[in-house]
């Protein structure tokens, strides 16, 4: 049996992207060796536990600085030696303490460089462009500024915000899995 690549997945909320990675890749093409969240109440914890994936909960609120929090999560991630770390709805701005030591990709719900940061779906829905979309990019110390791995576009024509939002969320998962395959192949 060939050695499968190992990935770590970081999330902050529902864990829907984690669930999709588990369903499509885990125990098939890659091994999700750990999941980590900064939110002790994240619904994604149950997703990981149901898939028998070790979960690390590191509450960002108890750290006095971003750097001390990042140092702790780097230590936890490195103890599993993943080939790649995937930020799947991880709502933290990471410092060089993380970005310099962890090879990671991030999913962002806009066509970067448009709409970095929060509320990207709303901002892209309201902008003058006929399309929006999602980007998977390498994580760098610049927020949503790392090199683009891939993008998927969505036409906004005739869509209300709810329908657009739904479309973005459905292609996010596919884009993330495609990017993981691309990076690890």
């Amino acid at each position: 049996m060939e050695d499968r690549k190992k990935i770590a997945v970081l999330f902050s909320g529902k864990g829907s992207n984690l669930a999709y990675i588990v369903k499509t890749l885990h125990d098939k093409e890659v091994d999700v060796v750990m999941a980590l969240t900064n939110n002790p109440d994240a619904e994604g914890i149950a997703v990981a536990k149901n898939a028998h994936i070790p979960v690390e909960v590191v509450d960002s609120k108890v750290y006095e600085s971003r750097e001390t929090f990042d140092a702790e999560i780097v230590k936890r991630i490195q103890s599993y030696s993943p080939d790649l770390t995937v930020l799947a709805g991880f709502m933290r701005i990471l410092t060089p303490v993380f970005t310099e030591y962890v090879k990671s990709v991030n999913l962002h719900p806009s066509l970067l460089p448009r709409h970095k940061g929060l509320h990207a779906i709303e901002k892209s829905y309201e902008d003058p462009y006929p399309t929006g979309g999602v980007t998977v990019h390498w994580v760098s110390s610049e927020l949503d500024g790392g090199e683009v791995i891939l993008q998927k576009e969505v036409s906004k024509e005739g869509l209300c915000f709810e329908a657009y939002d739904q479309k973005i969320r459905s292609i996010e998962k596919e884009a993330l899995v495609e990017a993981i395959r691309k990076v690890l192949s």
Side-chain angles (χ1 to χ4, degrees):
M1 183 184 121
E2 67 177 296
D3 279 346
R4 286 196 289 251
K5 297 277 192 191
K6 300 189 294 192
I7 65 170
V9 180
L10 278 52
F11 65 93
S12 295
K14 287 194 186 82
S16 56
N17 291 312
L18 169 63
Y20 190 77
I21 290 168
V22 166
K23 190 177 88 181
T24 53
L25 297 176
H26 182 55
D27 281 346
K28 299 175 189 78
E29 297 167 55
V30 304
D31 289 322
V32 179
V33 291
M34 66 100 70
L36 183 146
T37 183
N38 62 311
N39 173 5
D41 302 318
E43 295 163 50
I45 293 169
V47 172
K49 284 186 172 163
N50 289 339
H52 308 291
I53 295 165
V55 187
E56 300 279 342
V57 179
V58 185
D59 187 348
S60 47
K61 291 184 200 71
V62 303
Y63 290 83
E64 72 271 10
S65 72
R66 288 187 190 280
E67 288 77 10
T68 52
F69 171 77
D70 285 2
E72 180 59 29
I73 65 172
V74 167
K75 197 170 78 190
R76 303 263 188 120
I77 292 165
Q78 288 175 338
S79 71
Y80 292 89
S81 308
D83 297 291
L84 182 69
T85 295
V86 179
L87 277 55
F90 190 60
M91 306 310 285
R92 295 283 304 168
I93 294 173
L94 296 160
T95 69
V97 170
F98 179 95
T99 59
E100 301 293 318
Y101 297 98
V102 177
K103 178 181 164 191
S104 57
V105 297
N106 181 46
L107 169 66
H108 186 74
S110 79
L111 295 173
L112 292 172
R114 290 185 223 154
H115 315 302
K116 295 179 179 185
L118 295 172
H119 311 299
I121 298 176
E122 292 81 351
K123 289 175 188 164
S124 72
Y125 181 73
E126 287 159 11
D127 75 20
Y129 299 98
T131 60
V134 300
T135 303
V136 181
H137 63 92
W138 288 105
V139 174
S140 70
S141 52
E142 182 196 340
L143 177 66
D144 297 326
E147 187 189 336
V148 169
I149 298 162
L150 64 85
Q151 294 186 312
K152 286 190 176 297
E153 269 186 79
V154 167
S155 169
K156 297 190 277 193
E157 194 181 338
L159 297 181
C160 66
F161 174 73
E162 285 67 29
Y164 175 71
D165 183 62
Q166 211 48 54
K167 235 177 174 167
I168 292 292
R169 290 178 195 284
S170 68
I171 64 165
E172 270 184 341
K173 296 169 178 47
E174 294 160 22
L176 193 53
V177 163
E178 204 175 300
I180 292 166
R181 284 183 175 132
K182 185 175 172 178
V183 166
L184 292 178
S185 64

